[in-house]
Structures are given as structure tokens and as C-alpha cells.
Amino acid sequence: MLTRIDHIGIACRDLDATVEFYKATYGFTDAHFEVNEEQGVRECMLKINETGDGAASYLQLIEPIRDDSAVAKWMEKNGEGVHHIAFGTDGAVAEEAAGIAGRGVRVLYDAPRRGSMGSLINFLHPKDCHGVLTELVQKRSDTD
């Protein structure tokens, strides 16, 4: 079952400057910085609020670190801006993805991959989701 908006992903060219903008403008705090080599991005998760299921909602700022990454290719066409929306699940992301695939939506990965802060993720094809790249996120087992 999908339980929350886990995060909104924002693609940016300069992660440090973008983080400072969101901190100064909205008062968000740094939740977590990391490099995800598999996805080819450097990212910061800025915590927005706590949610009723014990998790949190975040703004994910993502900067490509390789020209061949999916985010870099997306930015070539679209520039900076909203890249995706991610929904959190209270169960296994593999089961959620399989259930949604059973309704005719293409799932991008055969098996979940590592996401931010130790989460498991999968993506749904934007052409099947009215133009929106949609991520499914399995709730992290550690604290948010």
C-alpha cells in the first residue's frame, strides 16, 4: 500500500548552490548527502516534515556526476526542475511494483535497486503515468 509522498526529486546543475537556496528560502535542513554511483548522481535529501507512518517527506536535490546518467540525459532535454515524484510504501517495493505492473504500467527495473539513505526503489515509466516519472520507495528500516 502506498502511504505517503516520500519525496519530490529536483534535478540541478549545482547541488551545493541549490541546497543553500532551499535552506535559506524555506528553512529546510540537511537530512542526508550521498553519492549514488549506480544512478550517477550526487544528492541531498532535505527533510520537509514527519509523516503519520513514522517516516518523513523530503525534497531530493540531484546533480548528475556523469554525462551518461539518466538525470544528465533528462537535463539535456529539460534543464533543471522537477524530475520525479516518489511514493512511499509500507510493504515491499517489489510487491508494489508487481501489483502496479499487473495494471498495465511498465516498471523500469526487473528488481528493486538501492536508493537514498538505504531505501529500495523502482521506477514506473512516465509514458504510462501521464508524463510523470514515478518512483516507488520502500520505507527505510533505520530512523528518518
Coordinates of all heavy atoms in Angstrom, one line a residue, residues 13-50:
R13 N 22.0 21.6 -11.6 CA 23.4 21.6 -12.1 C 24.4 21.8 -11.0 O 25.5 21.3 -11.1 CB 23.5 22.7 -13.1 CG 22.8 22.4 -14.4 CD 23.1 23.5 -15.5 NE 22.4 23.1 -16.7 CZ 21.2 23.4 -17.0 NH1 20.4 24.1 -16.2 NH2 20.6 23.0 -18.2
D14 N 24.0 22.5 -9.9 CA 25.0 22.8 -8.8 C 24.3 22.5 -7.5 O 23.5 23.3 -7.0 CB 25.3 24.3 -8.9 CG 26.4 24.7 -7.8 OD1 26.5 24.0 -6.8 OD2 27.0 25.7 -8.1
L15 N 24.6 21.3 -7.0 CA 23.9 20.8 -5.8 C 24.1 21.7 -4.6 O 23.2 22.1 -3.9 CB 24.4 19.4 -5.5 CG 23.7 18.7 -4.3 CD1 22.3 18.5 -4.5 CD2 24.5 17.4 -3.9
D16 N 25.3 22.2 -4.4 CA 25.6 23.0 -3.2 C 24.8 24.3 -3.3 O 24.2 24.7 -2.3 CB 27.1 23.3 -3.1 CG 27.9 22.0 -2.9 OD1 27.4 21.1 -2.2 OD2 29.0 21.9 -3.4
A17 N 24.8 25.0 -4.4 CA 24.0 26.2 -4.5 C 22.5 26.0 -4.4 O 21.8 26.8 -3.8 CB 24.3 26.9 -5.9
T18 N 22.0 24.9 -4.9 CA 20.6 24.6 -4.8 C 20.2 24.3 -3.4 O 19.2 24.7 -2.9 CB 20.3 23.4 -5.8 OG1 20.7 23.8 -7.1 CG2 18.8 23.2 -5.8
V19 N 21.1 23.5 -2.7 CA 20.8 23.2 -1.3 C 20.7 24.5 -0.5 O 19.8 24.7 0.3 CB 21.9 22.3 -0.7 CG1 21.8 22.2 0.8 CG2 21.8 20.9 -1.3
E20 N 21.7 25.4 -0.7 CA 21.7 26.7 0.0 C 20.4 27.5 -0.3 O 19.9 28.1 0.6 CB 22.9 27.5 -0.3 CG 24.2 26.9 0.4 CD 24.0 26.7 1.9 OE1 23.5 27.6 2.6 OE2 24.3 25.6 2.3
F21 N 20.0 27.5 -1.5 CA 18.7 28.2 -1.9 C 17.6 27.6 -1.0 O 16.8 28.4 -0.4 CB 18.4 28.1 -3.4 CG 17.0 28.5 -3.7 CD1 16.8 29.9 -3.9 CD2 16.0 27.6 -3.8 CE1 15.5 30.3 -4.2 CE2 14.7 28.0 -4.1 CZ 14.4 29.4 -4.3
Y22 N 17.4 26.3 -1.0 CA 16.2 25.8 -0.3 C 16.3 25.9 1.2 O 15.3 26.2 1.9 CB 16.0 24.3 -0.7 CG 15.3 24.1 -2.0 CD1 16.0 23.9 -3.2 CD2 13.9 24.2 -2.1 CE1 15.4 23.8 -4.4 CE2 13.3 24.1 -3.3 CZ 14.0 23.9 -4.4 OH 13.3 23.8 -5.6
K23 N 17.5 25.9 1.7 CA 17.7 26.1 3.2 C 17.4 27.6 3.5 O 16.7 27.9 4.5 CB 19.2 25.8 3.6 CG 19.4 24.3 3.6 CD 20.9 24.0 3.8 CE 21.4 24.5 5.1 NZ 22.8 24.1 5.3
A24 N 18.0 28.5 2.7 CA 17.8 30.0 3.0 C 16.4 30.4 2.7 O 15.8 31.2 3.5 CB 18.8 30.8 2.2
T25 N 15.7 29.9 1.7 CA 14.4 30.4 1.3 C 13.3 29.7 2.1 O 12.4 30.4 2.5 CB 14.2 30.1 -0.2 OG1 15.2 30.7 -1.0 CG2 12.8 30.6 -0.7
Y26 N 13.4 28.4 2.4 CA 12.3 27.7 3.0 C 12.6 27.2 4.4 O 11.8 26.7 5.1 CB 11.9 26.5 2.2 CG 11.4 26.9 0.8 CD1 12.2 26.6 -0.3 CD2 10.3 27.7 0.6 CE1 11.8 27.0 -1.6 CE2 9.9 28.1 -0.7 CZ 10.7 27.7 -1.8 OH 10.4 28.1 -3.1
G27 N 13.9 27.3 4.8 CA 14.3 26.9 6.2 C 14.4 25.3 6.3 O 14.5 24.8 7.4
F28 N 14.5 24.6 5.2 CA 14.7 23.2 5.3 C 16.1 22.9 5.8 O 17.0 23.7 5.7 CB 14.5 22.5 3.9 CG 13.2 22.6 3.3 CD1 13.0 22.7 1.9 CD2 12.0 22.7 4.1 CE1 11.8 22.8 1.3 CE2 10.8 22.8 3.5 CZ 10.7 22.9 2.1
T29 N 16.2 21.7 6.4 CA 17.5 21.3 7.0 C 18.1 20.2 6.2 O 17.4 19.4 5.6 CB 17.4 20.9 8.5 OG1 16.4 19.8 8.5 CG2 16.9 22.0 9.3
D30 N 19.4 20.1 6.3 CA 20.1 18.9 5.6 C 19.7 17.7 6.3 O 19.8 17.5 7.5 CB 21.6 19.1 5.7 CG 22.2 20.2 5.0 OD1 21.5 21.0 4.4 OD2 23.4 20.3 5.0
A31 N 19.2 16.7 5.6 CA 18.9 15.4 6.1 C 20.0 14.4 5.8 O 20.4 13.7 6.6 CB 17.6 14.9 5.6
H32 N 20.5 14.5 4.6 CA 21.4 13.5 4.2 C 22.0 13.8 2.8 O 21.3 14.1 1.9 CB 20.6 12.1 4.0 CG 21.5 11.0 3.7 ND1 22.3 10.3 4.6 CD2 21.7 10.4 2.5 CE1 22.9 9.4 4.0 NE2 22.6 9.3 2.7
F33 N 23.4 13.8 2.7 CA 24.1 13.9 1.5 C 24.6 12.5 1.1 O 25.1 11.8 2.0 CB 25.3 14.8 1.6 CG 24.9 16.3 1.5 CD1 24.6 17.0 2.6 CD2 24.9 16.9 0.3 CE1 24.3 18.4 2.6 CE2 24.6 18.3 0.2 CZ 24.3 19.0 1.3
E34 N 24.7 12.2 -0.2 CA 25.3 10.9 -0.6 C 25.6 11.0 -2.1 O 25.0 11.8 -2.8 CB 24.6 9.7 -0.2 CG 23.4 9.3 -1.0 CD 22.7 8.0 -0.6 OE1 22.0 8.1 0.4 OE2 22.9 7.0 -1.3
V35 N 26.5 10.1 -2.5 CA 26.7 9.9 -4.0 C 26.2 8.5 -4.3 O 26.5 7.5 -3.6 CB 28.2 10.0 -4.3 CG1 28.5 9.6 -5.8 CG2 28.7 11.4 -4.1
N36 N 25.4 8.4 -5.3 CA 24.8 7.1 -5.8 C 25.5 6.8 -7.1 O 25.1 7.3 -8.1 CB 23.3 7.1 -5.9 CG 22.7 5.8 -6.2 OD1 23.3 5.0 -6.9 ND2 21.5 5.5 -5.6
E37 N 26.6 6.1 -7.1 CA 27.3 5.7 -8.3 C 26.5 5.0 -9.3 O 26.6 5.3 -10.5 CB 28.6 4.9 -7.9 CG 29.6 5.6 -7.1 CD 30.4 6.7 -7.9 OE1 30.3 6.7 -9.1 OE2 31.0 7.5 -7.2
E38 N 25.6 4.1 -8.8 CA 24.8 3.3 -9.8 C 23.9 4.2 -10.6 O 23.7 4.0 -11.8 CB 24.0 2.3 -9.0 CG 23.1 1.4 -9.9 CD 22.3 0.4 -9.1 OE1 22.3 0.4 -7.8 OE2 21.6 -0.3 -9.7
Q39 N 23.3 5.2 -9.9 CA 22.4 6.2 -10.6 C 23.2 7.3 -11.2 O 22.6 8.1 -12.0 CB 21.4 6.7 -9.6 CG 20.5 5.7 -8.9 CD 19.5 5.1 -9.9 OE1 19.1 5.7 -10.8 NE2 19.2 3.8 -9.7
G40 N 24.4 7.5 -10.9 CA 25.3 8.6 -11.5 C 24.9 9.9 -11.0 O 24.9 10.9 -11.7
V41 N 24.5 10.0 -9.7 CA 24.2 11.3 -9.1 C 24.8 11.6 -7.7 O 25.1 10.6 -7.0 CB 22.6 11.5 -8.9 CG1 21.9 11.4 -10.3 CG2 22.0 10.4 -8.0
R42 N 24.9 12.8 -7.4 CA 25.2 13.3 -6.1 C 23.9 13.9 -5.6 O 23.2 14.6 -6.4 CB 26.3 14.3 -6.1 CG 26.9 14.7 -4.8 CD 28.1 15.6 -4.9 NE 27.8 17.0 -5.2 CZ 28.0 18.0 -4.4 NH1 28.6 17.8 -3.3 NH2 27.6 19.2 -4.8
E43 N 23.5 13.7 -4.3 CA 22.2 14.2 -3.9 C 22.2 14.6 -2.5 O 23.1 14.3 -1.7 CB 21.2 13.1 -4.1 CG 21.5 11.9 -3.2 CD 20.5 10.8 -3.4 OE1 20.6 10.0 -4.4 OE2 19.6 10.6 -2.5
C44 N 21.2 15.4 -2.2 CA 20.9 15.8 -0.8 C 19.4 15.6 -0.6 O 18.6 16.1 -1.4 CB 21.3 17.3 -0.6 SG 20.9 17.9 1.1
M45 N 19.0 15.0 0.5 CA 17.7 14.9 0.9 C 17.4 15.9 2.0 O 18.0 15.9 3.1 CB 17.4 13.4 1.5 CG 17.6 12.3 0.5 SD 16.3 12.3 -0.8 CE 15.1 11.3 -0.1
L46 N 16.5 16.8 1.7 CA 16.1 17.9 2.7 C 14.8 17.5 3.3 O 13.8 17.3 2.6 CB 16.0 19.2 2.0 CG 17.3 19.8 1.4 CD1 17.0 21.0 0.6 CD2 18.3 20.0 2.5
K47 N 14.8 17.3 4.6 CA 13.6 16.9 5.3 C 12.5 18.1 5.3 O 12.9 19.2 5.7 CB 13.9 16.5 6.8 CG 12.6 15.9 7.5 CD 12.9 15.6 8.9 CE 13.3 14.1 9.0 NZ 13.5 13.7 10.4
I48 N 11.3 17.7 4.9 CA 10.2 18.7 5.0 C 9.4 18.5 6.2 O 9.2 19.5 7.0 CB 9.3 18.6 3.7 CG1 10.2 18.9 2.5 CG2 8.2 19.5 3.8 CD1 9.5 18.6 1.2
N49 N 9.0 17.3 6.5 CA 8.1 17.1 7.7 C 8.1 15.6 8.0 O 8.5 14.7 7.2 CB 6.7 17.6 7.5 CG 6.0 16.8 6.4 OD1 6.5 16.2 5.5 ND2 4.7 16.7 6.6
E50 N 7.6 15.3 9.2 CA 7.3 13.9 9.6 C 6.0 13.5 9.0 O 5.1 14.3 8.7 CB 7.3 13.8 11.1 CG 8.5 14.3 11.8 CD 9.7 13.4 11.6 OE1 9.6 12.2 11.3 OE2 10.8 13.9 11.6

